[in-house]
Structures are given as structure tokens and as C-alpha cells.
Amino acid sequence: MASALMNVTASALNWVSVSFDAPLARAVVFGFPVDGHLVVEGLLIAVILFQLSRKSYKPPKKPLTEKEIDELCEEWIPESLHPPITEEMLAQPPILESAAETHTVIDGQEVVNFASANYLGLIGHEKIIDSCVSSLKKYGVGSCGPRGFYGTIDVHLDCETRIAKFLGTPDSILYSYGISTIFSVIPAFCKKGDIIVADEGVNWAVQNGLYLSRSTVVYFKHNDMTSLESTLEKITRQNYKRAEKMRRYIVVEAVYQNSGQVAPLDEIIRLKEKHRFRVILDESNSFGVLGNSGRGLAEHYGVPIEKIDIITAGMGNALATDGGFCTGSVRVVDHQRLSSSGYVFSASLPPYLATAAIGAVNYLEENPTILASLRNNIASLRKGLSDVPGLTMASSPLSPFVFLKLKKSTGSPKNDLQLLDKIVDRVLKEDSIFIVTTKRSALDKCPLPVGIRLFVSAGHSESDLLKASESLKRVAASVLSELI
Amino acid sequence: MVRLPYLTALTTLFSYGLLFAFGQLRDFFRKLIDWTKSKDLKGYAPICLGLEDFYTRRLYLRIQDCFGRPIASAPDAWFDVVERYSNDNNKTLHRTSNTTKCLNLGSYNYLGFAAADEYCTPHVIESLRKYSPGTCSVRVDGGTTKLHTELEELVARFVGKPAAILFGMGYVTNSAIIPALIGKGGLIISDSLNHNSIVNGARGSGATVRVFQHNNPSHLEEVLREQIAEGQPRTHRPWKKIIVIVEGIYSMEGELCKLPEIIAVCKKYKAYTYLDEAHSIGAVGKSGRGVCELLGVDPADVDIMMGTFTKSFGSCGGYIAASKEIIQYLKYTCPAHLYATSMSPPAVQQVISAIKIILGEDGSNRGAQKLARIRENSNFFRSELQKMGFEVLGDNDSPVMPIMLYNPAKIPAFSRECLRQNVAVVTVAFPATPLLLARARICISASHSREDLIKGLEVISKVGDLVGIKYFPAEPPKYEQDRKKLE
């Protein structure tokens, strides 16, 4: 054993000494005999290492000098703040000289007013105006502060409890402006990473809310329940893993401002419960109109109000004041008191408007027969307008305003609008009937067609409705005959 | 500028750390207790997950009674604060029918138009009877009455611009106008402490947003040069247009903006300026025309001037004043004009009467008196507070004065102690201000008399001693010196 080890170490030492002596052995490089080949190899390794250690060539970075920045700033020409002013931008709306009741005065002449969403005829109601006057004398006009800093007046709290009691929900929250309600509610609940399924025909305020919420928005075809179902199924399939953490919402309007269609709430509730989505329902045009006692879409369809998670409405239509409210469960309403930007960062509703809202809700609760007269008026107007040449009725029989669109569109919404404007102007000048077209802002992304709207009020008389349909038939025939 | 002493910063951080630790402890026990109870959610994701509402649940709810106090009268110099009680440690508050009369140092009532006024209120009641509380219609349809056109002309004349347009709410004015003026491909440079409505409007427009250091014209110039030279992000194409947004008086700092320098910088680099005068219109300036008058800037140099009627005119709503072409374009395309219910006619009449009083067109000099009184009151109050040793922010002539509190525990202490002595103040904490810089904000009104202010000063001084917020050395107050001289 020991001798074998000794042999191995001896041979190893031999080999090492031989190779150590090798530098002095002869080597042949490129045909020439060279002394000390390890020296050559050492030099080669040194050259390789030197090349590797040098940085690769990059063209030098030259930041802009001050003079160059000055030149760029001088050359830059900004666009103008506004595009060139065209003819249609100079149009002025008609100026009212009295209250916007069913008969109003424009340019010294009395006209029949179909342009105000005064569905219950509460404009000019004596008792409500008297309560507003006493409220003005006590509280002044404005509330001078946001809700968190002494802007909460006891009439606001009374109004919130009154609306909640009327609808049968635990609590409600008041906003100071109609359109700011929906575009503050949506970002308060929907954050980045949530999914919202919305109808493609929602109005601008909802679109703005959806954009500000930074969530993923998927649109479905206007008022089409099969399209909604397939969209919900697709989303549930794609995201079933994250279902516990991801909030999902469906945003619909009860009566769509852009088309007059009514959303089928029972279908929506069935789909929502199947796929576990929350519903945000905007009832601006249906609160105080639909249902046996005016409690909105839920009463109309017989759906218990607890099934709808969030209901918002603007009070500028049936209740004839300004502002908006949102109602739902206690958790929903409390959450908004700190995270809804239109509530926290804005001054509160003027107290006299809150008093007017309480008065309107009281009136509606005591006189439910007003809804029957509203419904009769809608039915007679629809009968009268069913055969207007060139225009068809696109709104539902339940909608409190009648929406007429062109039977055959000219192809561009701008030209359509010009034709409709001509009709509306002539109706006002020749027959003293005040109706309006739907004007679209450049920022509105709604794909639905433009049309003429007639807002029906419970205060309109039979002769008003007859006059309106006769006049519209006559003027439409003459204006549109040039095209048909 | 706020100078935060090191010791105060350390103690404030320590307090917040303690609150956070206790909050987490409570959350942990709550989770244990709720382990057995079933949640009613049935497969829905909760409205707030995890730490999203931690601040609300564990910090804000402890001091909830300092915010949102209801009142039962007009927000005038003295008002009735409704008492509230809580059965479950401030989680829910219930109203009682008792009220206490308190001195109002919190409402935005700069010229004293908040309560019923001898000239304004009869006109308002007359317009209410004539036009009803609402028009139920948008401006473009049937919502424009003679009052609206009259007010638009009056506002344009008052502010010094060719034309103006009205909206029913100040918040919506910013959120709906900025998207109409600028879109994708444009640049918005806004002050770092701008109001939430401007931030929302800038985000909703789709333009790129950059921020410059608060009230720092040289930093604004740096940002402008860098951005114009670089162009749009990633494509480096030149910007379509640049708008710089500043405010007249910053409501949380009480300081005026350095308008002449900022206008000079914007003119040099061809950027458009947008001035938000929510707190300064009607409250500063010799004839109440805002910061432009106070700082000597020609209104024609500012491209768009925005303001609200809530603060100095005692009404609601907002306006934009600019050149005729811009206003015509906005009337054609701004969504708030086309889709939102028009401003309530009695509120419009209130603004018309208020502006007439300020201009002196009602036949008396009440307007000039109010303007002089608010200036005197603000300067007197501010100098007295500074002499007492409080750290007060803001410039002279500004009616908004924040008093620094810093520590989170001092917020409810100051607020509740002042209320016990019948003075109502507003305390502001995170998230409206940075975390370490909590403050109490005083808003002076022209309807405060000298005795009201002296009483307010006494109470604040006493409470300040109790709570320990006199961070600077004090001098004896002027009115006591005068009294000693008379004796």
C-alpha cells in the first residue's frame, strides 16, 4: 500500500518537474522554432483578457444644450384652444320668460312646453313654493360648505331619511347636482382591476364615471338581454379563479336618456344572481314615474328593492328640483360618505332645494293618482304620433318622454341633426309648440341615433297633446318630403 | 411654507405608528371573532378589501364626531350646531333636538351673504315665485331663462372678460370643461396642491398630466422647457397644446398664487393659463374682482378664468369666463351644458343681487363696506394669532388661515374643546392634507364683528395652551396693550 502511494506521488512529481522544465524546451510556431512556448501562450491569454476588459463602442450621448432647447421652444406653435367657429356653434337656445311649466312664454308668446322633464307637473306648485320660501328665509340660499365642514343642514338629513322611507331602503345620501351623482358613485365603488359590464347606450355622465373608475369596461348591445347573458358568461369563465377578490358590476339605466327604452329588471336580476354581479341602476327618468306609487322600476317589475345593490337618481326630473341621491344598504351608503369625490369635495345642496324635494316626495305619496294622468297623457300622445311621416317612435310605451327618430337616416348624425333642427324650429315658430332635438357633445361616445324628444307632463291637457301631434305631422311632412 | 420641527415630526410619526399598530391588533381580533360567524356575502367580493378602508375604520371613525356636524340655522357668523350622541363609541351618531349657539369660524361665507339679506332675499323670493325652484331641463333645451343670460353678462362684466358661461355646480365645472378644451396629445401642467375637481377633470380629459412644485414659477419654467423639448411620451411628436392650471387662493394653505410670474412664464412659452378662483373671487381685491385685481394682472392675460358662487356670493354653481369664441365653442360641446339640469333660478337671482351689491349698483355702499371689513378682519385675526405664538399659514389679505396641529391626537382635542366653549372650527387631516401636516382651518367672514373675533381669539388661545400647539414664542396681544394704555 505504502509503496504504491509512494510510486504514484513520485510519478506525479516527475510529471510536474518535466512540464516545469518545458519552457526551456523547443516549440514550433508557424514553422519557426520558438523558445519557451508557455511564454507565448501566456502572452496570448494576456491579450485576450485586455480586449475583453475594454468597453464596447457606444456612440456618445449628447443631451440637448440650453440653446437648442430655446430654439425648440421658439419653433413650437400650439393649436388654438377652440376649433374654428362654425354656423351651428352660433345657435342660441330659446330664452324662457316665465316658469318652465306646461305653458310657458318665449319671446313674448305663449307656447306649449314639451321640453321640460316636469313629469308630475310640480313646477309652480303652490305648497312646495311656500315651503321653499320659508326655507329661504330661515337658511338663506347656499349652504356655504361641504358636508364634512358645517355644510350639513338638518333639512339634508330629513330629506335623506324621507327618500329612504319612501323607497323602503335603510338609508340614502344626497348629492348637490344631478349628473355628478352617477359619475361620483361609480368611481367610489369600482377601482382598477374590477370589471364593469355596461349598456352601450348609457349617457355621458355614466360614461365619464366608467372612465374615471379605471376599471375594465365591457359594453353589451343596447337593452339586449341575450348579449348581456353571453357577456356575463364569457367574463365568469375567464375570471373564475379571481372571483372572490374581484368586484363585478352591471351598470344600466332604468329609462335610457338616449333612446327611451326601459331595462327589463327581472331578467337583469336573474342574470346578476346567477353570475354574482352587483347592479348599479340609474333611475333619473323613472323615479316618480314607474310603478303603482311611483317608487321606480323595482316596483314596476315587482322586484324587492333589496335585490338592487345601488340605485342612483337625479332629482331634476320628476321631483322638479335639483340635485341627486343614491340609496342602497347601509354599507353602500356609508362607504360613499368618505370616498365619493362629488360628496366630499363639493359644497352641499342648497337647503331650499332639499325642502322642495321633501315636499315633492310628500305630494307623490299623498296623490298617487297623478301617475294615472301621466300614463294617460303618454298613451294619447303616442297614439297621436304613431303616424308621423318620416319619423318613428323608438321609445318604450312606459317611458315618460317620447323619442322620435328618422325612419331613414341620411347617413351622418350631423345631417340628421340639421333636418331635425329644421323641423323643431318650424314647429316652434308656426304652431308655438316647444320640442327639442337630442344634442350630442363631441365627447359623447354613444352610438345610438339622434332624434326628437317630447317630455310628457301630468299637467298637459288633451288639447295640448292633440295640437302637438297635428303640428308635428304637418311640419315633418313638409320638411322631410323634400328628401323622401 | 411649513417648517416642521424635528421633535414634532418624530412625535407625530410615533402617534400614527401607535394608531396603526392598535388598528392592526383590533383587525386581528375582529377576524378571530368573525371566523365562526358566517359572512353574508354569498360569493360576492366585499366592497372594500383588506387595507383599503383601514384608515376609515380604525382612525377616522374614532374622531367622527369632529366632522360632518349638522347645523340647524343659516351658516352666518353665529349658528346653531345640533348636538349628537353615540352609543357605540362613535361608530354611528344620532341627532338630538338640542342645539348650541356657536361662533362660526368654518363656513365659506366671506362676504356675509349666507343668511337672509335685506336686499337679496326679497328679489330671490320674487324670482322663486315667478320661475319655480327648478327648470327640469338642460340649458340647451328649455332651461335658459332671462335670469341666466343676465347673470352671464353680469359675470363677464364683473370679472373683466368678454363672455361667460354658467354651470349649476362648481365641481362639475372643472370636471366637464377641461376635457372639452384639451384631449389626447395635449399636456396639462398643474400645481401640486390643486383641488380634487381639477385632478378629476385632468384625468378625464385623456391628456398627459405633469405636476410642478407648489407656487414655484422657476420650477414651472423648468418643466415647460423640458416638456416642449421632449414632446409627447414615446413618440416625441410636438404637443398639441399646453394648459397650466393654478388656483387663486389655495384652500388648505391660505396663500395666494404668484400670478404675475406664472403668467410671464406661460406667455414666454406660449402655454395657455387656466385660473381657478373658487376662493378668491369676491373676497380679495379692492373691488372684489379676485387675485387679478389684487396682484395687478390684466384679466386679458389669463386665457380662462373659472370661479364658483358658493363661497363669496352665498349661492351655488360655477362659471367660466373667457373670450367669445371659446365660450361659443363650450356652449356647443361642453357636456355639463348639454346634459345637466340648468342652475336653479332663485340661486341665479341671488348671485345677480350679490354682484350688484358688490359693484355698488344697488344704490348703497354696503359692498365696499363688506370688502373693507373682510380685509380688516382677516389681517387683524391673522396678526393676533401669530402674536399668540400659533403657526399660521397663508398670506396677508387672504381670508383663509390654517393653524398647524401636526399631531393626530390634537385634532379631536382642539375641535371638541373649542366646541365646548361655543366656537366651531374645522379641522382637516389626511387625506385632504399630507399625513404629518394636520391643521385647523379658520375662514373669516365680513359678517364677523370685532367682538366676535376677540371672543374667538380668546377661546382659541385658551384651547391652544391646553392642547399645546403654540409652537412659536408669543407676544402680548394688541387689544390688551390698547386696553392697558387706556386704563
Side-chain angles (χ1 to χ4, degrees):
Chain A
M1 240 344 263
S3 58
L5 202 58
M6 285 274 300
N7 275 341
V8 167
T9 37
S11 58
L13 277 170
N14 246 344
W15 181 82
V16 168
S17 54
V18 162
S19 59
F20 245 68
D21 289 338
L24 303 174
R26 295 188 166 222
V28 179
V29 175
F30 295 126
F32 297 100
V34 169
D35 277 340
H37 74 97
L38 266 190
V39 173
V40 175
E41 285 149 17
L43 270 175
L44 276 173
I45 292 178
V47 168
I48 292 173
L49 284 177
F50 173 65
Q51 289 286 40
L52 280 177
S53 66
R54 276 182 43 160
K55 282 196 222 147
S56 58
Y57 175 72
K58 275 198 198 107
K61 252 201 217 160
K62 283 195 288 196
L64 295 171
T65 62
E66 289 301 314
K67 193 154 155 290
E68 283 169 343
I69 298 185
D70 282 337
E71 277 173 27
L72 280 170
C73 294
E74 279 206 27
E75 277 173 5
W76 177 67
I77 301 179
E79 281 180 9
S80 154
L81 267 179
H82 58 90
I85 303 289
T86 60
E87 261 304 313
E88 46 212 8
M89 291 193 199
L90 297 171
Q92 298 271 12
I95 300 180
L96 269 66
E97 292 164 13
S98 77
E101 297 174 297
T102 47
H103 287 252
T104 182
V105 176
I106 295 183
D107 274 342
Q109 215 193 1
E110 184 173 317
V111 303
V112 181
N113 187 4
F114 282 97
S116 295
N118 177 18
Y119 302 136
L120 302 176
L122 287 174
I123 293 187
H125 187 86
E126 278 305 318
K127 230 169 94 178
I128 295 182
I129 293 190
D130 283 336
S131 66
C132 286
V133 171
S134 48
S135 179
L136 272 176
K137 288 198 184 127
K138 185 172 177 199
Y139 299 110
V141 175
S143 58
C144 296
R147 287 291 291 258
F149 302 148
Y150 304 109
T152 309
I153 305 189
D154 46 4
V155 285
H156 292 141
L157 301 171
D158 292 335
C159 188
E160 287 176 359
T161 22
R162 185 76 187 85
I163 291 179
K165 205 171 91 176
F166 178 67
L167 282 176
T169 53
D171 202 0
S172 71
I173 178 174
L174 218 59
Y175 284 86
S176 43
Y177 205 43
I179 58 170
S180 79
T181 314
I182 189 68
F183 78 59
S184 303
V185 165
I186 296 181
F189 289 103
C190 314
K191 305 278 190 307
K192 194 161 180 174
D194 297 338
I195 291 203
I196 307 183
V197 176
D199 187 299
E200 64 179 6
V202 285
N203 59 42
W204 174 83
V206 180
Q207 288 169 19
N208 197 24
L210 294 173
Y211 181 73
L212 285 175
S213 69
R214 294 204 254 215
S215 322
T216 328
V217 183
V218 180
Y219 290 101
F220 67 92
K221 285 210 196 43
H222 181 56
N223 220 14
D224 185 350
M225 288 300 112
T226 36
S227 165
L228 174 61
E229 186 155 12
S230 54
T231 322
L232 291 177
E233 271 170 15
K234 200 163 72 157
I235 292 179
T236 324
R237 240 179 312 135
Q238 279 172 349
N239 292 300
Y240 68 95
K241 273 186 260 188
R242 293 198 299 140
E244 284 294 305
K245 292 284 175 71
M246 192 175 63
R247 295 173 281 245
R248 291 150 293 176
Y249 296 92
I250 301 178
V251 176
V252 284
E253 292 180 44
V255 175
Y256 289 93
Q257 180 84 6
N258 282 327
S259 70
Q261 297 287 326
V262 173
L265 192 64
D266 45 0
E267 268 296 305
I268 296 181
I269 296 290
R270 188 185 62 85
L271 287 171
K272 145 197 144 84
E273 286 183 337
K274 182 164 149 205
H275 296 279
R276 303 269 187 271
F277 275 62
R278 287 194 168 95
V279 167
I280 302 182
L281 182 67
D282 182 74
E283 290 219 53
S284 299
N285 282 316
S286 67
F287 180 75
V289 172
L290 294 181
N292 279 338
S293 53
R295 288 181 164 82
L297 198 62
E299 193 187 13
H300 177 82
Y301 275 101
V303 171
I305 197 121
E306 301 83 46
K307 296 215 173 178
I308 313 179
D309 303 279
I310 305 170
I311 300 178
T312 67
M315 303 197 288
N317 296 328
L319 294 184
T321 75
D322 208 348
F325 67 86
C326 175
T327 180
S329 66
V330 175
R331 181 83 183 89
V332 158
V333 170
D334 271 343
H335 177 79
Q336 284 172 60
R337 289 200 199 271
L338 269 187
S339 38
S340 170
S341 30
Y343 180 82
V344 172
F345 293 109
S346 159
S348 52
L349 187 63
Y352 74 96
L353 289 175
T355 322
I358 299 178
V361 173
N362 285 342
Y363 177 82
L364 181 56
E365 194 153 26
E366 289 160 17
N367 307 336
T369 48
I370 196 101
L371 294 164
S373 24
L374 175 62
R375 276 193 267 272
N376 286 342
N377 284 355
I378 299 176
S380 356
L381 188 63
R382 283 182 67 92
K383 211 167 78 174
L385 291 174
S386 50
D387 50 356
V388 175
L391 299 172
T392 80
M393 266 191 294
S395 58
S396 137
L398 295 165
S399 148
F401 61 90
V402 178
F403 184 82
L404 298 160
K405 63 173 188 201
L406 286 170
K407 264 201 191 112
K408 211 168 46 145
S409 159
T410 56
S412 89
K414 229 167 88 155
N415 294 340
D416 284 348
L417 206 54
Q418 274 178 352
L419 274 178
L420 295 169
D421 276 332
K422 249 194 272 189
I423 298 180
V424 161
D425 284 334
R426 280 187 56 180
V427 165
L428 179 61
K429 274 207 257 305
E430 295 170 12
D431 295 310
S432 301
I433 308 271
F434 186 25
I435 58 179
V436 283
T437 55
T438 58
K439 297 175 185 63
R440 285 283 163 75
S441 157
L443 303 170
D444 192 348
K445 293 197 224 48
C446 176
L448 299 181
V450 295
I452 296 183
R453 267 200 283 246
L454 286 94
F455 292 96
V456 183
S457 162
H460 279 129
S461 62
E462 276 297 324
S463 57
D464 291 335
L465 304 170
L466 205 59
K467 239 173 89 170
S469 18
E470 292 303 322
S471 155
L472 199 53
K473 277 195 257 231
R474 194 179 55 84
V475 174
S478 101
V479 169
L480 295 174
S481 67
E482 297 154 8
L483 289 135
I484 297 173
Chain B
M1 277 307 295
V2 179
R3 290 160 287 176
L4 185 57
Y6 272 123
L7 190 59
T8 319
L10 279 174
T11 50
T12 314
L13 276 171
F14 175 71
S15 310
Y16 275 111
L18 204 62
L19 283 167
F20 183 75
F22 269 100
Q24 292 283 45
L25 205 62
R26 288 176 101 114
D27 274 350
F28 175 68
F29 279 114
R30 170 63 44 190
K31 233 190 279 186
L32 277 183
I33 295 176
D34 280 346
W35 203 268
T36 45
K37 267 196 264 173
S38 68
K39 280 246 169 78
D40 267 340
L41 286 173
K42 289 186 279 211
Y44 290 92
I47 287 186
C48 280
L49 293 162
L51 287 183
E52 269 176 13
D53 62 342
F54 179 79
Y55 180 80
T56 311
R57 268 180 303 133
R58 297 300 170 205
L59 272 72
Y60 176 80
L61 281 184
R62 283 167 176 263
I63 56 172
Q64 208 194 122
D65 63 313
C66 300
F67 304 104
R69 292 188 180 138
I71 64 179
S73 70
D76 203 7
W78 287 84
F79 60 1
D80 299 325
V81 176
V82 174
E83 286 166 17
R84 299 187 289 177
Y85 67 91
S86 170
N87 292 332
D88 50 3
N89 212 11
N90 265 353
K91 276 217 198 65
T92 51
L93 293 161
H94 302 275
R95 275 198 286 170
T96 63
S97 44
N98 297 338
T99 58
T100 20
K101 204 164 176 60
C102 297
L103 176 67
N104 182 1
L105 289 178
S107 294
Y108 302 137
N109 178 20
Y110 300 139
L111 291 180
F113 283 115
D117 186 81
E118 59 194 10
Y119 176 76
C120 298
T121 311
H123 286 251
V124 172
I125 294 182
E126 191 191 313
S127 72
L128 175 66
R129 290 205 191 278
K130 185 169 176 205
Y131 289 103
S132 277
T135 55
C136 289
S137 179
V138 304
R139 277 296 296 276
V140 230
D141 287 347
T144 310
T145 62
K146 268 170 69 171
L147 287 177
H148 291 95
T149 37
E150 187 185 338
L151 180 57
E152 282 181 354
E153 284 164 25
L154 192 57
V155 162
R157 188 158 57 93
F158 182 65
V159 164
K161 292 292 251 185
I165 178 175
L166 295 178
F167 298 97
M169 182 180 167
Y171 188 91
V172 162
T173 313
N174 274 329
S175 315
I177 285 290
I178 301 182
L181 291 172
I182 192 169
K184 208 154 152 305
L187 174 67
I188 296 180
I189 306 185
S190 85
D191 192 292
S192 59
L193 295 177
N194 267 340
H195 189 250
N196 185 276
S197 56
I198 300 180
V199 170
N200 261 348
R203 274 185 36 212
S205 67
T208 318
V209 181
R210 292 274 178 267
V211 160
F212 73 94
Q213 271 171 26
H214 176 60
N215 235 358
N216 192 343
S218 43
H219 189 242
L220 172 64
E221 181 160 10
E222 253 180 64
V223 171
L224 269 171
R225 286 171 68 86
E226 185 193 321
Q227 290 300 321
I228 299 181
E230 245 180 72
Q232 296 186 27
R234 290 168 60 221
T235 56
H236 293 290
R237 293 213 192 116
W239 295 107
K240 292 210 180 120
K241 46 189 134 164
I242 300 186
I243 299 187
V244 175
I245 307 185
V246 288
E247 287 188 35
I249 290 187
Y250 290 92
S251 55
M252 287 299 157
E253 275 72 36
E255 46 185 36
L256 300 162
C257 108
K258 296 199 177 111
L259 200 56
E261 293 92 349
I262 293 183
I263 301 279
V265 166
C266 292
K267 272 190 143 151
K268 186 166 152 204
Y269 292 95
K270 292 176 270 193
Y272 298 112
T273 35
Y274 182 106
L275 178 64
D276 178 336
E277 289 212 81
H279 284 266
S280 52
I281 188 77
V284 295
K286 212 155 65 107
S287 61
R289 283 166 212 254
V291 280
C292 285
E293 191 184 12
L294 186 69
L295 300 174
V297 171
D298 185 7
D301 286 338
V302 181
D303 295 292
I304 300 163
M305 297 174 65
M306 176 261 175
T308 62
F309 300 126
T310 333
K311 281 98 188 176
S312 309
F313 304 101
S315 173
C316 65
Y319 69 87
I320 297 261
S323 68
K324 269 208 172 55
E325 290 82 23
I326 298 182
I327 299 292
Q328 267 164 358
Y329 168 64
L330 288 176
K331 283 192 174 165
Y332 176 69
T333 191
C334 174
H337 196 244
L338 295 178
Y339 299 125
T341 325
S342 67
M343 204 165 141
S344 168
V348 176
Q349 178 62 46
Q350 162 79 12
V351 184
I352 294 178
S353 316
I355 294 186
K356 285 212 173 109
I357 292 185
I358 295 176
L359 288 175
E361 286 173 10
D362 65 325
S364 71
N365 68 339
R366 279 175 65 209
Q369 277 176 1
K370 280 180 194 274
L371 288 165
R373 227 193 354 252
I374 186 174
R375 207 184 10 240
E376 270 173 41
N377 284 356
S378 326
N379 290 339
F380 170 70
F381 207 82
R382 178 173 269 118
S383 57
E384 288 302 313
L385 282 177
Q386 276 169 338
K387 280 198 217 135
M388 281 185 210
F390 289 103
E391 181 165 359
V392 182
L393 307 179
D395 299 333
N396 266 332
D397 278 354
S398 138
V400 177
M401 39 200 95
I403 303 178
M404 295 310 295
L405 296 172
Y406 299 120
N407 239 299
K410 298 189 180 171
I411 303 170
F414 189 76
S415 180
R416 289 174 189 155
E417 199 51 48
C418 280
L419 190 63
R420 243 173 258 154
Q421 318 234 1
N422 291 350
V423 168
V425 293
V426 160
T427 45
V428 199
F430 185 79
T433 59
L435 188 66
L436 297 180
L437 304 175
R439 61 199 74 176
R441 187 181 66 175
I442 311 273
C443 292
I444 298 294
S445 149
S447 54
H448 284 134
S449 66
R450 198 42 89 94
E451 293 81 38
D452 296 335
L453 294 181
I454 293 182
K455 169 165 163 67
L457 283 167
E458 277 172 15
V459 168
I460 292 182
S461 179
K462 234 187 311 186
V463 175
D465 280 327
L466 276 175
V467 169
I469 49 177
K470 291 194 178 168
Y471 295 109
F472 294 140
E475 304 164 22
K478 186 167 179 294
Y479 56 89
E480 274 198 20
Q481 280 179 331
D482 291 339
R483 233 193 291 156
K484 289 207 176 88
K485 273 197 221 146
L486 291 170
E487 280 163 10

